[in-house]
Amino acid sequence: MDPETLVRDHTIYACVMGSRAFGLATDDSDTDRRGVFLAPTPLFWRFDKPPTHVDGPLEEQFSWELERFCELALRANPNILECLHSPLVEHVDDTGRELLALRGAFLSRQVHETFTRYALGQRKKLEADIRVHGAPRWKHAMHLLRLLASARDTLRTGRLTIDVGDRREALLEVKRGEVPWSQVECRMTRLASEAEEAARRSPLPDRPDRRLVEEFLIRVRRASALQPGPYDEGVQGVVSARGVGQG
């Protein structure tokens, strides 16, 4: 099965991300689409495994296979966790709704480490831009501030909300280069400090609920194995007759 078919026929969840989901879109903003597809279980019984992710087929579209998506979410990957909380959902089926119902299982105090580590890396890149070009990439500076505030608020409340709400205009001022870099630096430092303090008091658990997520993955893999399909008719016959996991 080619990657485009996996995305077209087996997507369980699709959303819009980027500035449109963050409430920071302007007239020239792209539409970034992200999704999760469930590769049919019989495809994993071959030597050539399904792809863990697919770029496209639309422009600015990227999708992950469900298992890879869950692995990254359990590691508190910022892009993946934010994808689960997009307010702009374009498609969701029953399996996708189960995945969304597990959003809380992926959240933990690891958010502090992964979000702030990513933010630190981006800040170093901005500082390098200043040394080389005399100014940072202001759009990246805006998103760095947004990410740090998101980490702080998630750790404080135990909930991840990605729309910036009433912070929109202050962030767009940064994007337009209307805020001096020294002030932007001060904001970054303050937000990082507030996130660290929030991590010590956070209502979130130390680790995500890996067991609950794994049970979900096993359940949907088993259900997929029992579905009729053209991927491996011989094995489908065995599965139907004997049941999954029986000799």
Side-chain angles (χ1 to χ4, degrees):
M1 182 178 292
D2 64 271
E4 184 172 327
T5 301
L6 284 170
V7 173
R8 185 190 67 222
D9 295 345
H10 297 281
T11 290
I12 64 170
Y13 171 66
C15 66
V16 172
M17 285 301 299
S19 294
R20 297 192 183 280
F22 301 141
L24 292 168
T26 56
D27 291 342
D28 60 348
S29 294
D30 294 327
T31 300
D32 300 321
R33 289 183 165 86
R34 299 293 180 265
V36 183
F37 62 91
L38 174 63
T41 300
L43 294 181
F44 290 91
W45 298 336
R46 302 174 178 180
F47 286 121
D48 294 327
K49 307 299 181 187
T52 59
H53 59 270
V54 175
D55 194 353
L58 300 177
E59 290 186 12
E60 308 297 335
Q61 182 182 19
F62 193 93
S63 301
W64 295 268
E65 206 284 322
L66 176 61
E67 183 173 341
R68 178 59 174 166
F69 186 87
C70 289
E71 287 176 348
L72 293 172
L74 286 169
R75 297 177 194 170
N77 179 289
N79 292 325
I80 300 294
L81 290 182
E82 289 182 337
C83 183
L84 275 173
H85 292 79
S86 173
L88 303 178
V89 176
E90 293 193 317
H91 169 78
V92 61
D93 66 7
D94 289 343
T95 304
R97 279 185 278 272
E98 285 192 70
L99 175 64
L100 293 180
L102 285 172
R103 284 183 292 197
F106 292 107
L107 290 179
S108 72
R109 295 189 185 195
Q110 287 181 328
V111 163
H112 177 245
E113 178 185 353
T114 56
F115 278 52
T116 56
R117 184 174 64 226
Y118 180 81
L120 179 60
Q122 293 301 304
R123 183 168 179 173
K124 289 180 178 178
K125 291 180 180 180
L126 292 171
E127 292 168 346
D129 286 338
I130 294 173
R131 290 193 298 271
V132 175
H133 305 292
R137 289 169 290 180
W138 291 109
K139 179 180 178 179
H140 291 200
M142 174 191 71
H143 281 297
L144 178 49
L145 288 170
R146 180 201 62 78
L147 184 69
L148 286 168
S150 179
R152 178 201 61 190
D153 295 345
T154 301
L155 290 162
R156 281 177 174 176
T157 66
R159 299 184 305 275
L160 175 56
T161 302
I162 68 173
D163 190 300
V164 300
D166 59 8
R167 296 194 296 266
R168 170 183 164 86
E169 187 53 38
L171 288 168
L172 289 178
E173 287 175 354
V174 173
K175 180 183 179 181
R176 295 192 294 263
E178 297 171 359
V179 182
W181 173 246
S182 59
Q183 291 185 26
V184 174
E185 279 189 306
C186 288
R187 288 190 201 176
M188 291 177 179
T189 300
R190 174 177 55 80
L191 287 169
S193 177
E194 290 173 352
E196 184 174 358
E197 175 63 22
R200 289 194 286 267
R201 304 171 181 268
S202 179
L204 290 172
D206 289 337
R207 293 290 181 266
D209 194 337
R210 181 183 178 90
R211 180 192 59 79
L212 191 62
V213 175
E214 189 170 53
E215 288 175 354
F216 159 70
L217 182 62
I218 292 170
R219 186 169 65 255
V220 298
R221 286 275 193 251
R222 181 179 291 117
S224 173
L226 295 173
Q227 290 296 315
Y231 315 111
D232 193 331
E233 294 180 0
V235 175
Q236 286 288 348
V238 173
V239 169
S240 299
R242 300 183 177 179
V244 177
Q246 297 182 19

